[in-house]
Amino acid sequence: MKTTTLSKIFSIFNTTTNNDAPVNDISTDTRTIKPGNFFIPVKGTNFDGHNYIETAFYKGASGAVAELPCFEALPAELKSKVIPVDDALEAMLTIAKRYREQFSFPITAVTGSNGKTTVKDLLTHIMSSKYKTCGTKGNFNNEIGVPKTIFEFDDTTEYAVVEIGMRGKNQIARLCDILRPTSAAITNIGEAHIEILGSREAIAQAKAEVAEKLPKDGFLVMNGDDQFASYIEKLSPVKVFFFGSSPICDLKLINLTQNSYGSAFQIQYKGEKAKTEISLPGIHNVYNAMAAILSSVLAGLPLKSAAERIGSAKISEKRSEIIVKNSRTIINDCYNSNPSSASAALDILSGFNMPKAAILGDMLELGDISERSHYELGKKAASCGLELLIAIGEKAASIIKGAKDNNMDTKACIHLNTADEFQSVKHKVPKNIAVLIKASNSMELWKITKLLTE
């Protein structure tokens, strides 16, 4: 973050202070706060940052905001450094919006039902070959994460790739009002969040909010093989460029070779061809790579340079991460799960020429389609020739039912309530086997990955 002053932050809220102490970053966590940081006391399900405002100053914070009731309770000597606000999170967004206005470099926003973090990682890697590029760390893609990424911008930044998440209508629009991206990529339209929005059409409309916030000379990149490609194009006020294998695609997939550990493929753009390869398994990751390549080409990089660069990219952990440890090959994909991504993960597992097992957990926010979706996942698991299927969570009971109803050996099916119960059945996972670990992050299946690799 560019260093500013406490008085300048006060001025954002139409208030004043004589304190010109330097502010070198924005912090929401007193565990990692550093001297000179400005503290935002955000609230969570089980915590309230307002309880730590005095701790923030003890650790050297220059200033803070505080919601009104908490502000009144602060010691008098601190009040001159604290801005009273109605909502601390809204205050953070306000500061981020004003800070963003200082920069004019291009920003690509990445959203979609699946693959956002992978595309963000790949595009950040490609663009960093030419520009000082700032990319979202991990998947910090919500009302706290997007401002945190914006605060990473400084005078050396030349390009930014920012992941935008969604939990409901108008959330993407709201975050884009803060971020003001110059281009965007939509990976696909799936069933994630269907419980909240009600239909895939509504999900498509919500994702299209990213296009509505682009400048007139901006552009949108979209999966041309997605059934909602034309629908998104109609909703978009800016030019849409497509990637995939269908006739409408600008960046075309023309040759593909896959194995259990990745893909090699050839692509074509405006008559020019290039070869590339990625060490990420599954056709969905080919699409993710094409999204990143097309975005970078439209941003000015040569096709062949982008294709070559992507081969050395590293992605965030827990996403199609292959770990070979303790005589097991583990597909560690336990950060997120929904019907399409879980199905794709089983396709990856099926490609391994060795005995196979799957550890699958609840897929969340599916509403009325939840029971059917889990059942269908179990049905597909039964077709993969598994030696063992472990399903974890309340909803995952339907995975077991789907597998058993489709002729999977009952003795090979285990249902657990939580990831912590895996310890009791760990011995049932044999050596020399490929194991898929897939679930929504809140199911904590990362604990199972740790147990199998420690």
Side-chain angles (χ1 to χ4, degrees):
M1 183 181 183
K2 292 170 58 175
T3 299
T4 185
T5 64
L6 188 59
S7 61
K8 287 182 179 179
I9 295 181
F10 265 68
S11 70
I12 295 173
F13 297 90
N14 297 315
T15 186
T16 60
T17 179
N18 294 323
N19 191 328
D20 276 329
V23 174
N24 53 31
D25 205 353
I26 307 295
S27 174
T28 59
D29 191 341
T30 55
R31 293 171 298 181
T32 57
I33 199 168
K34 297 178 180 178
N37 286 183
F38 186 88
F39 181 59
I40 307 287
V42 297
K43 298 177 181 178
T45 304
N46 300 310
F47 69 91
D48 184 346
H50 289 84
N51 296 326
Y52 303 96
I53 290 177
E54 292 186 53
T55 301
F57 282 109
Y58 175 78
K59 290 189 171 183
S62 294
V65 300
E67 294 175 7
L68 287 168
C70 297
F71 175 81
E72 296 298 337
L74 288 172
E77 65 270 18
L78 293 184
K79 286 184 178 179
S80 63
K81 303 177 184 179
V82 179
I83 304 170
V85 296
D86 292 329
D87 186 296
L89 181 56
E90 287 295 331
M92 184 178 186
L93 291 168
T94 299
I95 297 170
K97 184 174 184 178
R98 184 68 65 86
Y99 185 74
R100 160 67 180 94
E101 292 171 355
Q102 301 180 56
F103 304 98
S104 58
F105 53 78
I107 299 175
T108 298
V110 180
T111 191
S113 296
N114 304 306
K116 294 184 294 296
T117 302
T118 299
V119 172
K120 176 267 301 180
D121 288 340
L122 296 174
L123 180 56
T124 300
H125 182 73
I126 294 173
M127 296 306 295
S128 65
S129 67
K130 184 176 180 179
Y131 301 105
K132 175 68 183 303
T133 303
C134 177
T136 299
K137 290 186 170 58
N139 73 319
F140 291 170
N141 61 24
N142 61 8
E143 291 90 346
I144 296 175
V146 170
K148 281 188 173 182
T149 302
I150 292 173
F151 294 134
E152 293 283 331
F153 300 169
D154 61 29
D155 286 334
T156 69
T157 307
E158 299 174 303
Y159 199 97
V161 185
V162 181
E163 184 177 334
I164 303 286
M166 181 199 76
R167 288 187 56 81
K169 188 176 180 181
N170 296 324
Q171 185 177 25
I172 290 176
R174 181 189 188 206
L175 291 175
C176 285
D177 278 335
I178 308 298
L179 179 65
R180 290 173 46 214
T182 55
S183 65
I186 298 177
T187 59
N188 51 35
I189 306 298
E191 294 173 319
H193 311 306
I194 200 167
E195 181 178 26
I196 298 169
L197 290 166
S199 69
R200 289 185 69 189
E201 288 81 3
I203 293 170
Q205 291 172 8
K207 298 297 184 185
E209 291 171 11
V210 73
E212 296 166 5
K213 295 298 180 177
L214 296 176
K216 292 181 180 179
D217 59 350
F219 61 86
L220 173 67
V221 166
M222 172 70 187
N223 184 342
D225 295 343
D226 191 284
Q227 71 178 86
F228 284 91
S230 297
Y231 186 72
I232 291 289
E233 186 174 32
K234 290 177 182 177
L235 294 174
S236 175
V238 300
K239 172 68 176 175
V240 182
F241 295 85
F242 295 107
F243 59 89
S245 56
S246 67
I248 68 169
C249 292
D250 301 277
L251 181 68
K252 285 188 170 63
L253 178 65
I254 56 177
N255 195 10
L256 172 66
T257 302
Q258 293 181 279
N259 60 37
S260 301
Y261 297 92
S263 301
F265 53 100
Q266 190 174 29
I267 49 180
Q268 179 175 294
Y269 179 73
K270 291 186 176 180
E272 182 183 2
K273 297 179 181 179
K275 293 181 179 179
T276 190
E277 57 184 37
I278 53 172
S279 55
L280 299 170
I283 185 64
H284 60 295
N285 279 317
V286 173
Y287 283 120
N288 290 337
M290 293 182 72
I293 291 171
L294 181 54
S295 296
S296 64
V297 169
L298 293 170
L301 268 65
L303 177 66
K304 290 185 178 178
S305 296
E308 180 180 357
R309 174 73 172 172
I310 207 169
S312 60
K314 304 292 184 184
I315 66 167
S316 300
E317 63 178 10
K318 302 179 187 176
R319 292 168 174 83
S320 299
E321 178 186 20
I322 296 180
I323 305 170
V324 180
K325 193 78 178 287
N326 298 333
S327 300
R328 299 186 183 99
T329 299
I330 296 171
I331 307 166
N332 186 33
D333 200 351
C334 57
Y335 193 85
N336 194 20
S337 189
N338 54 57
S340 55
S341 67
S343 177
L346 283 173
D347 287 337
I348 293 172
L349 179 64
S350 295
F352 281 82
N353 187 25
M354 60 193 303
K356 292 174 275 289
I359 303 173
L360 307 173
D362 282 356
M363 301 180 289
L364 307 180
E365 298 179 357
L366 295 179
D368 292 342
I369 69 168
S370 180
E371 184 175 352
R372 173 173 58 84
S373 297
H374 286 86
Y375 182 89
E376 290 296 323
L377 184 61
K379 180 178 179 180
K380 178 159 186 172
S383 70
C384 294
L386 302 182
E387 304 257 331
L388 177 67
L389 171 64
I390 300 176
I392 298 175
E394 179 183 356
K395 297 176 177 63
S398 294
I399 298 176
I400 296 295
K401 187 176 190 316
K404 289 180 178 179
D405 286 353
N406 288 274
N407 302 315
M408 187 164 179
D409 186 354
T410 299
K411 295 179 181 178
C413 298
I414 299 173
H415 179 235
L416 305 174
N417 293 310
T418 69
D420 292 329
E421 295 176 12
F422 176 77
Q423 180 70 61
S424 65
V425 298
K426 176 185 174 183
H427 65 281
K428 292 182 179 292
V429 183
K431 299 294 182 69
N432 301 311
I433 195 169
V435 184
L436 168 65
I437 304 176
K438 180 73 173 174
S440 293
N441 188 47
S442 61
M443 297 305 297
E444 299 185 325
L445 264 61
W446 57 267
K447 293 179 179 178
I448 294 176
T449 301
K450 183 178 180 180
L451 282 171
L452 290 176
T453 57
E454 64 186 6

